Amino acid sequence: LPDTGLFKINSIYYTFFGIHQLYDILEKTYEVCKELFPNENPMLANKFLEFPYLFQNGKLIHTSAVTKKAEAIGFYFIKLTVDNFILFLKTHKYPINYIQAIEAEKQNLSHMQYDVGLDFYLKNGQFRIKKTAFFGSF
């Protein structure tokens, strides 16, 4: 905060380290939904489980963090394969030219792992995505 020497907290990250924590992840998500969107059904947050890129080899890729932001909740998913990354891009309607370029170079990108994120909010009984983001790592 200006001239006070104090910091303003913009986001609070709740980190999770394994699929065995799925119950805790969902509980924290509902808790944050109730705080940020008190007039909405927190179970609407479960809509994120419908995204096809969150499943690899028949298993759910759990979120590594549930983040309480000013007007949204952030989820971060780590270590997606290039195939799942392409699904992410298609699901969230990234430019087709970009998707085609990734598909064309897929064999050269198979060593990469992709981290993706999305911010969402609940409004008028709907799950709404505010933004998505991604980056890759070796």
Side-chain angles (χ1 to χ4, degrees), residues 57-117:
N57 301 320
K59 295 181 181 178
L60 176 67
I61 301 168
H62 68 88
T63 179
S64 63
V66 175
T67 307
K68 180 181 172 187
K69 300 183 176 190
E71 298 175 356
I73 296 173
F75 283 151
Y76 303 96
F77 304 94
I78 60 174
K79 299 182 180 180
L80 272 68
T81 64
V82 68
D83 287 324
N84 284 59
F85 177 59
I86 291 168
L87 276 173
F88 168 84
L89 297 172
K90 288 179 177 180
T91 299
H92 297 295
K93 299 178 175 52
Y94 278 79
I96 191 66
N97 291 345
Y98 183 72
I99 295 169
Q100 289 171 339
I102 298 291
E103 289 175 324
E105 293 296 322
K106 190 167 92 167
Q107 71 281 359
N108 295 323
L109 300 171
S110 62
H111 67 286
M112 298 281 289
Q113 295 181 330
Y114 296 86
D115 298 347
V116 302

Side-chain angles (χ1 to χ4, degrees), residues 9-25:
I9 297 175
N10 292 325
S11 301
I12 300 172
Y13 291 78
Y14 303 98
T15 306
F16 300 92
F17 296 101
I19 190 66
H20 62 280
Q21 292 185 290
L22 182 58
Y23 178 82
D24 296 328
I25 292 166

